[in-house]
Amino acid sequence: MNIPLFFAPVFQERIWGGNRLREQFGYDIPSEQTGECWAISAHPNGQTTVINEPFRGKTLGELWDDHPELFGHFPSDRFPLLTKILDANADLSVQVHPDDEYARTYEHGELGKTECWYIIDCKEGAELIYGHHAKTKEELRQMMEEGRWHDLLRKVRIRPGDFFYVPSGTVHALCEGTLVLETQQSSDTTYRMYDYDRVDEHGNKRELHLDKALDVITVPHVDMYYEPQVIQTTEAKITTFVQNEYFTVQKWDIEQEWVVEQTDCFLLVSVLDGKGELCTAQETYPLQKGDHFLIPHSFDRFTIQGNLQCIVSSPTWGK
């Protein structure tokens, strides 16, 4: 079936959220503390819905169960990826995610959470937390118990266009003034280590998960860096940021017309800027900033034309 699937995002309010999802993308957000746009998701905590025919009104999870041919009969018991846009209007909690084995055992069969970030925008001088300075588990525990967060946490200066790979076990946090597209395993499991002693509207602090965090944190921290691979033509620049056992993530900077030969099981595409068209042999679909869509497995060839910047991901075969 050579029909792309366009989705209506699901929005999640967060204590650290803001309004940039409306200001930057024109989304109809629920409040001035909207932190997350779940753009392409089949996770039970926020399923996106198809907005075009012939599957209008169907959730991605329903399509995964009822039409496995759309996804190349991908060998997984659930849709494997989740695409988000995050508006960090304030600092996020310092956190870590488990791997698949730990999550299966302690989180009722949930997937682990390896993720990556593309920095869409950030304020001047913005930073994020990526890693820690402890050399042993004993030192890590002691620094956490003593509240020596300034000494423990590793901060990194960021700029728009930066990319970070965040495997499970990595201590991390987005900081104030950052807008990010996140590609991740389809998981909603997070272990909070530190939340700046913030309280919600009822005066309650959010739950911390220190014991589980200590179980899963990688010690010592190891930077995970992939050298971007770039293909430059007169029509487009294709940058592959990461290609591993979970996903491949690329940025497509299209200036005229890019003809895609589909070799993946399926593609998840988010338009970050610009406008244009997606053309198949049968139909043409308008594209604009803020659109999110899935290219099913049956597409063997399609064209994107216009002036657009897209983040494109696909799950890895055999995972």
Side-chain angles (χ1 to χ4, degrees):
M1 189 191 74
N2 291 339
I3 298 174
L5 306 175
F6 287 84
F7 296 98
V10 174
F11 299 100
Q12 309 279 2
E13 295 174 276
R14 298 289 186 255
I15 193 171
W16 41 264
N19 60 22
R20 293 183 74 185
L21 292 171
R22 179 180 65 228
E23 300 304 315
Q24 293 257 8
F25 291 99
Y27 295 137
D28 183 15
I29 59 175
S31 79
E32 301 297 302
Q33 280 194 310
T34 303
E36 301 189 10
C37 162
W38 290 28
I40 305 177
S41 169
H43 194 279
N45 292 351
Q47 293 219 34
T48 52
T49 303
V50 179
I51 59 174
N52 63 305
E53 300 297 346
F55 297 117
R56 184 190 300 271
K58 295 287 188 180
T59 67
L60 181 53
E62 288 175 324
L63 292 184
W64 177 262
D65 292 337
D66 298 339
H67 294 278
E69 72 279 2
L70 296 175
F71 312 98
H73 296 273
F74 187 79
S76 173
D77 64 351
R78 71 201 80 185
F79 189 82
L81 299 183
L82 201 167
T83 300
K84 296 179 181 178
I85 301 178
L86 307 180
D87 172 16
N89 188 53
D91 293 344
L92 274 68
S93 62
V94 180
Q95 55 194 243
V96 66
H97 305 308
D99 62 15
D100 288 342
E101 182 178 357
Y102 192 94
R104 273 195 300 266
T105 302
Y106 296 100
E107 302 300 337
H108 312 291
E110 180 86 323
L111 290 179
K113 191 174 176 186
T114 285
E115 62 190 24
C116 57
W117 301 326
Y118 177 78
I119 310 298
I120 301 171
D121 197 12
C122 60
K123 69 178 185 179
E124 186 73 25
E127 297 178 315
L128 55 78
I129 292 169
Y130 184 79
H132 61 85
H133 295 294
K135 299 298 187 292
T136 66
K137 283 276 188 179
E138 292 72 22
E139 183 182 18
L140 175 65
R141 180 184 295 275
Q142 182 176 358
M143 295 177 81
M144 289 171 61
E145 290 176 348
E146 294 174 356
R148 294 165 53 200
W149 300 107
H150 180 76
D151 297 329
L152 175 62
L153 300 175
R154 179 174 177 264
K155 290 192 173 183
V156 179
R157 189 68 64 91
I158 61 173
R159 298 177 300 176
D162 285 348
F163 182 85
F164 290 86
Y165 176 55
V166 188
S168 60
T170 303
V171 174
H172 64 276
L174 297 175
C175 296
E176 175 188 353
T178 308
L179 189 67
V180 168
L181 186 136
E182 178 175 288
T183 302
Q184 59 160 92
Q185 291 180 267
S186 183
S187 172
D188 200 24
T189 298
T190 293
Y191 300 149
R192 291 192 199 97
M193 303 164 55
Y194 179 55
D195 197 35
Y196 307 96
D197 297 319
R198 288 182 291 202
V199 296
D200 61 20
E201 66 272 18
H202 305 295
N204 301 315
K205 293 182 180 180
R206 294 197 293 174
E207 182 183 4
L208 300 179
H209 316 92
L210 299 182
D211 289 339
K212 287 184 175 179
L214 280 164
D215 282 347
V216 304
I217 292 172
T218 300
V219 182
H221 168 73
V222 178
D223 271 352
M224 296 296 292
Y225 178 73
Y226 285 81
E227 184 69 34
Q229 305 297 310
V230 179
I231 298 173
Q232 179 72 66
T233 72
T234 56
E235 296 84 13
K237 181 171 77 169
I238 308 301
T239 303
T240 300
F241 289 120
V242 63
Q243 190 170 22
N244 62 19
E245 70 268 34
Y246 299 106
F247 42 64
T248 297
V249 178
Q250 298 179 320
K251 182 174 70 163
W252 294 359
D253 291 292
I254 300 168
E255 298 179 358
Q256 297 180 37
E257 180 177 280
W258 178 248
V259 178
V260 182
E261 301 286 348
Q262 165 78 307
T263 59
D264 296 284
C265 47
F266 53 90
L267 297 175
L268 311 183
V269 184
S270 296
V271 182
L272 296 187
D273 205 4
K275 62 181 180 179
E277 296 175 328
L278 186 155
C279 305
T280 71
Q282 296 80 27
E283 190 67 69
T284 297
Y285 303 86
L287 301 177
Q288 64 180 359
K289 180 178 180 178
D291 283 348
H292 305 276
F293 58 95
L294 185 150
I295 299 291
H297 179 69
S298 56
F299 272 68
D300 54 5
R301 182 184 176 96
F302 63 94
T303 301
I304 294 182
Q305 58 188 26
N307 196 314
L308 304 100
Q309 183 185 90
C310 305
I311 296 294
V312 182
S313 63
S314 61
T316 303
W317 282 108
K319 178 59 184 174

